[in-house]
Amino acid sequence: MPYFTFKGRTAQGELVLGVREAPDSGALAMLLVNAGTTPIEISPTAAPKTSTGDNVLGNLFEEKITTVDLMMFSRQMYTLLKSGIPIMNALSGLQASTANMKLSGVIGDIRQSIGSGRELSIAMREHPKVFSPFYLSMIRVGEGTGMLETVFMRMFDHLEFEKFMRDQVKAALRYPSFVLMAMAVAMVIINLFVIPAFAKVFKGFGAELPLMTRILIGFSDFMVANWAILLLGLVGTIFGFKSWLATPSGRYQWDKIKLRIPIAGKIIQKATLARFARSFALASSSGVPIVQAMTLIAETVDNDYIADQVNQMRTGIERGESVLRTATSSGIFTPMVLQMIAVGEESGALDELMQEISDMYQREVEYELKTLGAQIEPIMIIFLGVLVLVLALGIFLPIWDLGKAAMHK
């Protein structure tokens, strides 16, 4: 997504300057307003540059704030605020007890900001790498409704669900990736070590070899003679792929391709849509306007292609279209889900139906992962069968023919 520089003022009249990533200037304006800042000027800019030397070393040794750390922070804030402890005392206690020193420093900064008269959501906004726009929006809703402790508990549940679905997606990709790597290693070993050994034996026979055998030996000879070039080409391909992923268009295309990967693609899509539905249900039930909710949800789905579809849904809703119509136009929902959305809109319980959609997708993802091995096994069997057939025709058949010829002499 593009970057924008912005200038705005908080509710206390403080001037705020910064650089943010957003789908467009309108979406950024909504994010700023939702965070308590009135935008004055927004203009596109290049992505912020970071120095290499010290920054690389810093990233290697700097302590990270993980999702689990943020989950524990949310859960503890809920417990402390529900017990009637003032927010400054609650933050002070968490700052002293948090094992993650970086998070402890962030909590200290938040305490100082609140002490100077700022609201909690505005104080958290100073740490965009820790608190997402969705998190900040929910905290601001909690402040406005007087249900801050409830929002912290909801965010704990939401972060726990997000982590679970991310882990599920990684598990879905891990098994096929391992299988492909194992097959690739097997092919390399066969071509670099097994076939050359048989080729020496065949040369001693002095007989004409079958076509399949000549093809295998020719390909093996090519790999043996050019293994260094092939290795450099592989490294260059990996580097080029990562560089391509770093571009907005590359990330968008790859996220779209991931959804079409056999077997794993449908798991990734269901997991992503489960996160969309859960985020929608949480934002809607907490009172976030649907247009702003769509803008925030697009940043939580962790898939640029589906995020673009969500932004298109937001644009349609801004034009006055229904959620059902925009969801149908997106083409990412199944007919059953669209029917549930229609019922939710008609009954006025869309947030509850979205929660049910999320639970349904979650159950489907769990089932798909349980049966993932059974789905991949036929592909492995077919590949191994083809590999054995090629080796039998190319290597063992000539030996068999020569053996029979020797027996007839």
Side-chain angles (χ1 to χ4, degrees):
M1 289 189 292
Y3 284 84
F4 297 88
T5 57
F6 66 88
K7 181 189 299 183
R9 289 194 180 276
T10 65
Q12 290 75 27
E14 298 179 6
L15 182 64
V16 179
L17 302 174
V19 178
R20 287 287 297 273
E21 188 180 14
D24 51 49
S25 58
L28 177 56
M30 289 184 182
L31 289 174
L32 293 174
V33 170
N34 198 43
T37 299
T38 302
I40 299 174
E41 180 181 345
I42 297 177
S43 58
T45 186
K49 296 181 180 180
T50 57
S51 58
T52 52
D54 296 337
N55 190 54
V56 172
L57 292 176
N59 289 336
L60 287 175
F61 298 103
E62 184 182 22
E63 192 173 12
K64 305 294 183 182
I65 298 177
T66 64
T67 302
V68 175
D69 293 325
L70 198 55
M71 286 168 54
M72 294 306 300
F73 168 79
S74 303
R75 176 75 189 201
Q76 290 168 341
M77 284 295 295
Y78 162 75
T79 303
L80 293 171
L81 293 179
K82 187 179 180 181
S83 301
I85 298 175
I87 188 170
M88 289 294 287
N89 293 344
L91 290 172
S92 178
L94 288 180
Q95 183 182 3
S97 62
T98 300
N100 189 312
M101 297 308 298
K102 185 173 182 181
L103 179 58
S104 178
V106 170
I107 295 174
D109 291 342
I110 293 173
R111 286 186 64 242
Q112 290 182 1
S113 296
I114 294 176
S116 64
R118 294 185 178 183
E119 296 179 351
L120 177 60
S121 58
I122 296 177
M124 287 181 166
R125 188 192 59 199
E126 302 299 325
H127 302 276
K129 293 184 179 180
V130 180
F131 304 103
S132 67
F134 187 80
Y135 196 106
L136 295 174
S137 176
M138 295 304 301
I139 295 299
R140 184 161 183 80
V141 168
E143 290 175 327
T145 58
M147 300 173 58
L148 190 56
E149 68 277 2
T150 304
V151 167
F152 271 116
M153 188 61 194
R154 289 179 177 177
M155 288 310 303
F156 169 78
D157 294 334
H158 178 74
L159 290 171
E160 186 179 38
F161 177 80
E162 290 274 298
K163 182 178 183 300
F164 173 77
M165 297 313 296
R166 282 196 182 98
D167 291 343
Q168 297 292 72
V169 170
K170 290 179 181 178
L173 290 174
R174 189 181 299 120
Y175 193 9
S177 300
F178 176 77
V179 171
L180 290 175
M181 288 178 60
M183 291 179 176
V185 170
M187 292 297 297
V188 170
I189 292 175
I190 289 173
N191 281 283
L192 292 183
F193 301 102
V194 177
I195 295 179
F198 280 99
K200 292 180 181 178
V201 176
F202 294 153
K203 288 180 181 179
F205 292 155
E208 183 179 359
L209 300 175
L211 176 61
M212 181 62 71
T213 306
R214 295 199 301 270
I215 293 175
L216 288 177
I217 293 176
F219 186 70
S220 176
D221 290 341
F222 173 78
M223 288 192 66
V224 171
N226 301 280
W227 66 268
I229 297 175
L230 293 174
L231 181 60
L232 289 175
L234 176 62
V235 173
T237 301
I238 295 174
F239 179 78
F241 178 72
K242 290 186 175 181
S243 300
W244 178 63
L245 283 183
T247 64
S249 61
R251 177 63 185 270
Y252 176 88
Q253 292 297 329
W254 173 240
D255 284 344
K256 187 176 181 179
I257 292 171
K258 282 194 298 187
L259 303 178
R260 299 177 180 176
I261 297 175
I263 301 177
K266 60 183 179 181
I267 300 178
I268 296 172
Q269 182 174 8
K270 290 177 180 179
T272 305
L273 293 178
R275 294 170 63 189
F276 161 81
R278 177 66 67 94
S279 300
F280 187 101
L282 176 58
S284 178
S285 62
S286 299
V288 179
I290 188 170
V291 174
Q292 294 182 16
M294 285 293 187
T295 303
L296 296 169
I297 292 168
E299 298 188 6
T300 67
V301 293
D302 199 23
N303 184 293
D304 283 7
Y305 172 72
I306 291 183
D308 181 65
Q309 301 303 312
V310 174
N311 284 324
Q312 291 183 25
M313 290 176 63
R314 182 205 70 206
T315 302
I317 293 171
E318 289 177 334
R319 292 196 302 262
E321 298 178 9
S322 64
V323 177
L324 174 62
R325 182 177 179 83
T326 58
T328 305
S329 301
S330 69
I332 58 177
F333 298 100
T334 62
M336 180 184 297
V337 173
L338 292 175
Q339 184 177 1
M340 294 176 70
I341 292 175
V343 172
E345 278 197 301
E346 291 177 3
S347 62
L350 186 57
D351 53 344
E352 297 178 8
L353 267 295
M354 279 294 186
Q355 181 67 43
E356 292 187 16
I357 291 171
S358 173
D359 294 339
M360 182 189 69
Y361 274 133
Q362 181 178 347
R363 289 192 296 269
E364 290 185 7
V365 168
E366 291 175 350
Y367 174 78
E368 293 284 356
L369 287 174
K370 288 180 181 178
T371 60
L372 185 61
Q375 297 179 61
I376 291 180
E377 282 176 5
I379 299 176
M380 295 177 59
I381 292 173
I382 292 174
F383 175 82
L384 291 175
V386 172
L387 181 61
V388 170
L389 178 62
V390 170
L391 291 176
L393 294 176
I395 295 179
F396 300 114
L397 185 60
I399 296 177
W400 178 260
D401 292 341
L402 291 171
K404 287 196 302 182
M407 291 177 61
H408 287 302
K409 289 182 179 180

